[in-house]
């Protein structure tokens, strides 16, 4: 009897564990199996909208056939910025399957989209109107007053209940102005930065000549992190006038990636990310730290939050950050002289006439010494209570990791042996 119970319970436990550890979806991988949507799928990748879709737990993708997608590309005059807006508007942040579409309360609903989350949609134009029309037809239109239902339901393509639904519709949902997004090819970078509150950074780019370096990189891919004006006046901000011209150029190059990476794609980055200042040896890199919708850049000296998007037009993206990005090579100093017990009190900065060599050259020495910020000390030397709490979190994380899954499976078999 006990063995029978074990034989029933163990598969159930294993199934629940596997379901829990396989959450998430990959929209481009799913659509690879449907050649009728190859053009739509290719633009999801080019515009990186696929990353935004994959980042949401619940989403309905209104896909277009190659013919309908070709018409959208023509209407957008092949502008990737305009096409990206349209694809975001076709990504509904709710789950709709055929039954739900045909059984709408009151026969109509307004649903939000990825485009609404960008903050670029005027009013409620980031919503889509779904309405049951005559003859069992389901229509889709923009939320703008007077918009026509030019798009209609064609068929269900693929559903993962309550998480991802892929529905084909006849045409794109657009409204006047949706496809008229600012294009990188015609954009004035300094003007955009000044309008976004990054006048100091824009001035440095122009006076140092780094602006021309950025412009030469735009066709190949460029992501720019622009500190706002307050960042240059913040407590602890370095005095850039003490840097040599070469080091200032390096610092400004450090604020850009040689690739197109919009904010939504940053969390997918793992490990060190090379910047325009990086050499073959891999120096002058940074990493991404994300928690929920918050994304920050970790330079090894400090962290800076990615605040807003100024321009997103494949292959160029301009983002604002809350503080200067300070590379270790210029501002972090050398590593600790030798491994050993951490000092309980911060070591004061050496006097200017001290004979001991400083971690970096005199021209790079900053006014916010000591090199190791006191705020980082708790992370390196946690209290016992903090350490215990960290162990609890670590154990919880292991439960959904591959090793955690293996441990759970072994526990299931042990449980089966006990009841047998």
């Amino acid at each position: 009897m006990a063995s029978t119970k074990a034989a029933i319970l163990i598969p159930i436990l294993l199934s629940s564990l596997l379901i829990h550890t396989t959450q998430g979806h990959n929209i481009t991988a799913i659509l690879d199996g449907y050649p009728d949507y190859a053009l739509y799928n290719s633009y999801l990748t080019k515009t990186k909208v696929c990353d935004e879709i994959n980042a949401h737990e619940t989403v309905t993708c209104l896909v277009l056939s190659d013919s309908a997608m070709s018409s959208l590309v023509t209407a957008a005059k092949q502008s990737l910025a305009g096409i990206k807006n349209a694809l975001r508007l076709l990504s509904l942040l709710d789950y709709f399957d055929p039954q739900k579409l045909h059984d709408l309360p009151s026969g109509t609903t307004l649903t939000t989209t990825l485009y609404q989350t960008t903050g670029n949609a005027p009013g409620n134009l980031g919503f889509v109107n779904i309405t049951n029309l005559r003859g069992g037809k389901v229509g889709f239109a923009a939320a703008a007053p007077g918009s026509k239902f030019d798009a209609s339901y064609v068929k269900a393509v693929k559903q993962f209940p309550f998480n991802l639904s892929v529905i084909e519709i006849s045409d794109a949902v657009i409204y006047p102005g949706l496809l008229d997004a600012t294009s990188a090819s015609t954009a004035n970078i300094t003007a955009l930065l000044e309008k976004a509150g990054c006048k100091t950074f824009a001035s440095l780019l122009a006076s140092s000549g780094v602006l021309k370096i950025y412009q030469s990189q735009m066709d190949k891919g460029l992501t720019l992190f622009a500190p706002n004006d307050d960042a240059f006046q913040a407590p602890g901000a370095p005095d850039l006038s003490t840097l040599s011209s070469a080091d200032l150029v390096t610092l400004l190059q450090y604020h850009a990636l040689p690739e197109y990476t919009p904010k939504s794609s940053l969390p997918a980055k793992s490990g060190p990310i090379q910047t325009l200042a990086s050499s073959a040896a891999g120096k002058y890199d940074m990493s991404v730290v994300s928690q929920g919708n918050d994304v920050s850049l970790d330079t090894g000296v400090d962290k800076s939050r990615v605040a807003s998007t100024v321009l997103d037009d494949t292959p160029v993206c301009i983002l604002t950050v809350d503080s200067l990005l300070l590379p270790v090579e210029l501002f972090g100093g050398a590593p600790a002289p030798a491994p050993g017990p951490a000092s309980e009190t911060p070591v004061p900065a050496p006097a200017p006439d001290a004979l001991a060599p400083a971690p970096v050259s005199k021209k790079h020495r900053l006014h916010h010494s000591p090199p190791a910020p006191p705020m980082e000390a708790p992370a390196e030397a946690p209290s016992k209570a903090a350490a215990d709490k960290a162990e609890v979190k670590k154990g919880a994380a292991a439960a959904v990791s591959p090793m955690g899954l293996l441990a759970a499976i072994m526990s299931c078999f042990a449980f089966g042996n006990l009841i047998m």
Side-chain angles (χ1 to χ4, degrees):
M1 181 70 176
S3 61
T4 303
K5 289 182 179 179
I8 295 173
L9 287 173
I10 290 175
I12 293 174
L13 290 171
L14 292 177
S15 297
S16 64
L17 285 169
L18 289 172
I19 291 172
H20 187 71
T21 57
T22 54
Q23 293 178 346
H25 42 253
N26 186 328
I27 183 61
T28 53
I30 292 170
L31 291 177
D32 279 342
Y34 299 89
D36 290 346
Y37 313 114
L39 188 59
Y40 169 90
N41 200 20
S42 70
Y43 275 100
L44 284 184
T45 300
K46 290 178 182 178
T47 60
K48 301 287 187 178
V49 171
C50 56
D51 291 335
E52 299 179 37
I53 293 173
N54 293 338
H56 284 77
E57 183 178 353
T58 303
V59 64
T60 297
C61 295
L62 304 179
V63 302
L64 302 174
S65 66
D66 284 352
S67 176
M69 187 66 204
S70 180
S71 297
L72 172 61
V73 172
T74 301
K77 299 178 181 178
Q78 299 186 349
S79 165
L80 285 176
I83 295 170
K84 185 168 190 173
N85 286 347
L87 293 178
R88 283 170 165 166
L89 193 62
L90 293 177
S91 303
L92 315 180
L93 298 184
D94 196 357
Y95 180 81
F96 291 93
D97 56 19
Q99 181 176 352
K100 184 174 180 179
L101 287 174
H102 287 89
D103 296 332
L104 296 174
S106 304
T108 186
T109 187
L110 277 179
T111 186
T112 190
T113 69
L114 281 178
Y115 186 51
Q116 184 68 22
T117 66
T118 65
N120 297 327
N124 68 343
L125 292 186
F127 287 75
V128 167
N129 182 347
I130 308 175
T131 298
N132 293 147
L133 306 175
R134 293 180 180 179
K137 186 177 180 181
V138 179
F140 299 82
S147 296
K148 297 180 180 180
F149 291 94
D150 293 328
S152 58
Y153 170 83
V154 176
K155 65 180 180 180
V157 179
K158 186 74 175 179
Q159 277 73 45
F160 297 88
F162 312 113
N163 290 114
L164 176 66
S165 179
V166 182
I167 301 287
E168 182 186 343
I169 61 174
S170 60
D171 293 287
V173 177
I174 58 176
Y175 62 83
L178 176 67
L179 305 179
D180 300 333
T182 302
S183 174
S185 60
T186 59
N188 183 323
I189 292 181
T190 54
L192 288 173
L193 291 175
E194 290 174 357
K195 185 177 180 181
C198 305
K199 293 181 179 179
T200 303
F201 187 68
S203 177
L204 287 172
L205 293 182
S207 62
S208 65
V210 174
L211 179 61
K212 294 181 179 179
I213 298 176
Y214 285 173
Q215 290 171 334
S216 66
Q217 182 66 34
M218 288 174 65
D219 290 339
K220 305 169 189 175
L222 177 71
T223 301
L224 175 60
F225 301 113
N228 56 41
D229 290 336
D230 291 339
F232 292 87
Q233 305 299 326
D239 181 4
L240 300 186
S241 66
T242 64
L243 295 180
S244 67
S245 297
D247 286 338
L248 178 60
V249 167
T250 299
L251 175 63
L252 296 175
Q253 286 181 303
Y254 185 72
H255 282 71
L257 308 182
E259 61 182 25
Y260 170 67
T261 309
K263 183 180 179 180
S264 59
S265 299
L266 282 172
K269 293 286 185 181
S270 59
I273 304 173
Q274 290 198 333
T275 67
L276 279 182
S278 297
S279 64
K283 295 181 179 180
Y284 292 98
D285 54 29
M286 65 179 70
S287 60
V288 177
V289 179
S290 61
Q291 184 175 6
N293 293 327
D294 289 332
V295 180
S296 297
L297 302 173
D298 188 348
T299 68
V301 175
D302 205 351
K303 294 183 179 68
S304 181
R305 185 179 71 93
V306 179
S308 62
T309 300
V310 177
L311 174 68
D312 186 354
D313 178 20
T314 311
V316 177
C317 185
I318 301 177
L319 306 168
T320 63
V321 289
D322 287 344
S323 59
L324 285 167
L325 303 180
L326 306 178
V328 171
E329 291 80 3
L330 290 180
F331 301 97
S343 174
E344 294 185 2
T345 58
V347 179
D353 57 349
L355 297 178
V360 294
S361 63
K362 194 169 186 178
K363 64 183 178 182
H364 296 154
R365 198 173 292 152
L366 300 179
H367 300 294
H368 59 289
S369 58
M375 290 301 292
E376 292 297 324
E380 296 175 3
S383 65
K384 184 178 185 304
D388 293 341
K389 186 175 181 181
E391 285 299 318
V392 172
K393 290 184 177 180
K394 183 177 179 183
V400 295
S401 67
M403 293 305 295
L405 177 59
L406 178 60
I409 292 173
M410 296 303 295
S411 297
C412 290
F413 281 109
F415 172 72
N417 290 333
L418 285 173
I419 64 176
M420 287 190 290

